[in-house]
Amino acid sequence: MDRRLTVKVPDAHYAEREKRTNDAIALKKPDRVPIMVLFGFFPCKYTGMTIEEVMYDPDKMLSSQLKTLMDFAPDMDMNPYGTRFLGPLLDALDFRQLKWPGHGVESNLSYQFVEGEYMSADEYDHFLVDPTDFMFRRYWPRICGSLKGFEKLPPLHNIISYYMGLSTGLSAFVSPEVVEALDGLKKAAEKSLQVATYGRAYNQKAKDAGFPMQFGGLSQAPFDTLGDFFRGTKGLMLDMYRRPDKVIAACEKILIFMIEMAVNAAKASGNPRIFIPIHKGLDGFMSEEQFKKFFWPTLKELMVRLINEGLTPCPLWEGDCTSRLKIIKDIPEGKTCYAFEATDIFKAKEVLGDSICIRGNVPLSILATGTPEDVKNHCKKLIDIVGRNGGYIMDSSTGLDDAKVENVRAMFDFTKEYGAY
């Protein structure tokens, strides 16, 4: 028999990996435990490049990520361009909410988020009445130096007032500050298009090599959006006591946009899995009653609405949410995947295992400071307990930026060898 007929082509590998992951999410037993990670800037370390290099050079980003992908062969990859090839775009915007390599941190260190109250407490009503106007004339000028001129615009609803079929407010766009901001927006749009173009090309290269993408879109818990980007942690903590109704109303307003963002991205990508990083709905930040009142209602509705659209919400609980497990179990069975960073994953298996796929959580402390044998021992425990009867995906607790190469290899090799059902 001609042996060439038995060789698997990339499309077959692609289908195998897609099925393996989808079976785990549906709480079935795949052929083995799937393994996938958030590589982060680990490929830089692995290929001898600096983080600053790949943030500004799309070709170096491509070669770095592709080599890492091919050498470790996860069951699914994560496109690096939308979160890491951002240097030119951040420069064009004069972005203020991040420090990045060469711009506030050393060339081989990752991002640092610059939190602040970018929306004041007395601006809730502005945001609730007209979020687009607030974003354009207040929020963008505060976080993007190149867009500061938009502060000079009158309310957008005044600009678009019409008489005889013509806008009566277009003259607002001729002021030097606004013209400069429009030019800054154009330059940023060109850099954003470059990110998208390289991102689409990478998706195709990975697919040709037999690797699906983990996610087809991104969304966020509305409470996290409000706290991370607008009110800041301190401001939102105070708001839960001083203006709780405004917090809830803002979360409900944001929910509409979070649903739309995820659905549109999934339609464009053809990938139903939606990544949802969870930041503030964790043990230690708010009480259980506050979680039930402020955080869970709009997050649950977001996930249910996405499920009803045929999508798969994939939250990453970035911290410890062990005390929330019984609450967050209230979601349609076999339709989502919860990744855990510091949650007791063995307790999570006990509480959620019959209804939700679990992902994680080899501690970064072991991957960064332990030995390959330490990694294998921990992975064995995860496979034996959390992976029992399916519904489990092997992963680290968080991104691999600080992990040792030999430990990452041990995690991959051991899972593929020992994780067969």
Side-chain angles (χ1 to χ4, degrees):
M1 183 175 69
D2 188 345
R3 288 176 57 83
R4 290 174 298 176
L5 298 178
T6 66
V7 175
K8 294 179 179 177
V9 297
D11 282 349
H13 289 303
Y14 185 96
E16 285 177 5
R17 292 176 172 126
E18 187 82 27
K19 183 178 187 304
R20 184 177 294 134
T21 301
N22 289 339
D23 282 350
I25 292 173
L27 307 177
K28 300 175 183 178
K29 276 188 182 180
D31 59 335
R32 68 159 168 80
V33 171
I35 179 169
M36 60 193 71
V37 296
L38 306 179
F39 277 119
F41 287 111
F42 173 82
C44 302
K45 176 193 294 186
Y46 183 63
T47 57
M49 300 180 189
T50 68
I51 294 175
E52 186 174 5
E53 280 182 279
V54 300
M55 281 195 67
Y56 283 89
D57 189 324
D59 295 320
K60 287 185 177 180
M61 169 72 76
L62 177 64
S63 63
S64 174
Q65 186 75 15
L66 276 181
K67 178 170 175 53
T68 305
L69 174 65
M70 300 304 294
D71 287 359
F72 288 91
D75 285 300
M76 291 189 171
D77 194 17
M78 187 170 178
N79 193 303
Y81 284 93
T83 56
R84 280 170 271 159
F85 173 57
L86 294 180
L89 174 58
L90 296 175
D91 284 345
L93 288 169
D94 185 19
F95 196 67
R96 309 291 175 81
Q97 275 189 321
L98 283 179
K99 295 180 180 180
W100 65 96
H103 293 72
V105 298
E106 296 177 12
S107 64
N108 227 12
L109 294 177
S110 186
Y111 303 113
Q112 290 292 317
F113 187 69
V114 182
E115 187 174 284
E117 290 190 19
Y118 299 99
M119 180 179 88
S120 64
D122 61 3
E123 289 179 318
Y124 266 101
D125 287 339
H126 184 178
F127 176 81
L128 291 169
V129 169
D130 194 341
T132 300
D133 181 74
F134 176 80
M135 294 288 290
F136 204 88
R137 296 192 305 115
R138 295 293 176 261
Y139 184 70
W140 280 3
R142 291 168 186 169
I143 68 167
C144 302
S146 65
L147 306 184
K148 185 171 176 58
F150 289 147
E151 290 178 334
K152 300 296 183 179
L153 287 171
L156 296 184
H157 60 264
N158 288 347
I159 294 175
I160 61 173
S161 296
Y162 283 89
Y163 181 70
M164 294 180 65
L166 296 172
S167 171
T168 60
L170 292 178
S171 60
F173 288 99
V174 301
S175 74
E177 297 91 343
V178 175
V179 170
E180 184 178 358
L182 288 170
D183 183 58
L185 188 62
K186 179 178 180 291
K187 291 176 181 176
E190 291 167 350
K191 300 302 181 184
S192 182
L193 179 61
Q194 186 183 29
V195 172
T197 300
Y198 275 97
R200 286 192 295 270
Y202 183 82
N203 282 351
Q204 188 60 53
K205 286 181 181 294
K207 183 176 183 179
D208 291 343
F211 295 95
M213 289 295 118
Q214 297 181 41
F215 309 115
L218 168 74
S219 192
Q220 195 173 25
F223 187 96
D224 279 340
T225 302
L226 182 61
D228 291 350
F229 304 116
F230 293 95
R231 291 291 293 130
T233 300
K234 177 184 175 182
L236 191 52
M237 288 179 72
L238 293 173
D239 292 345
M240 288 193 292
Y241 294 95
R242 296 176 175 175
R243 49 191 70 83
D245 293 344
K246 299 288 187 185
V247 172
I248 292 172
C251 287
E252 290 172 347
K253 176 72 75 172
I254 292 168
L255 172 64
I256 301 168
F257 307 129
M258 293 297 102
I259 294 169
E260 185 179 85
M261 180 170 71
V263 171
N264 289 345
K267 287 179 179 178
S269 67
N271 183 336
R273 292 174 293 273
I274 303 298
F275 181 53
I276 306 174
I278 305 294
H279 298 148
K280 291 181 164 59
L282 305 164
D283 296 358
F285 181 86
M286 61 176 67
S287 69
E288 182 175 312
E289 288 307 308
Q290 288 172 326
F291 181 78
K292 291 178 179 177
K293 179 177 181 179
F294 294 107
F295 198 94
W296 180 241
T298 46
L299 174 59
K300 178 185 176 182
E301 184 171 351
L302 169 65
M303 291 196 288
V304 170
R305 293 278 293 275
L306 296 185
I307 290 169
N308 290 341
E309 291 282 346
L311 307 184
T312 304
C314 299
L316 166 58
W317 298 84
E318 298 189 51
D320 186 355
C321 66
T322 306
S323 73
R324 318 285 196 220
L325 292 173
K326 291 183 180 178
I327 302 172
I328 65 177
K329 183 177 182 177
D330 185 20
I331 208 76
E333 182 178 317
K335 299 294 185 181
T336 186
C337 177
Y338 285 179
F340 293 112
E341 179 184 0
T343 297
D344 182 341
I345 200 166
F346 304 105
K347 181 68 173 178
K349 175 68 174 181
E350 177 185 327
V351 175
L352 306 175
D354 62 346
S355 58
I356 295 170
C357 176
I358 296 170
R359 174 173 169 172
N361 61 358
V362 180
L364 187 59
S365 58
I366 294 178
L367 292 168
T369 66
T371 66
E373 199 61 30
D374 294 331
V375 173
K376 292 175 184 178
N377 289 337
H378 195 85
C379 289
K380 182 178 185 300
K381 186 176 180 182
L382 286 169
I383 293 170
D384 288 344
I385 299 175
V386 189
R388 188 174 58 246
N389 299 321
Y392 173 63
I393 297 172
M394 179 67 75
D395 189 5
S396 62
S397 60
T398 184
L400 296 178
D401 293 26
D402 299 315
K404 294 178 182 177
V405 171
E406 61 268 28
N407 287 345
V408 176
R409 191 174 300 283
M411 179 174 68
F412 273 87
D413 290 347
F414 182 83
T415 300
K416 292 176 182 180
E417 178 184 346
Y418 185 77
Y421 285 103

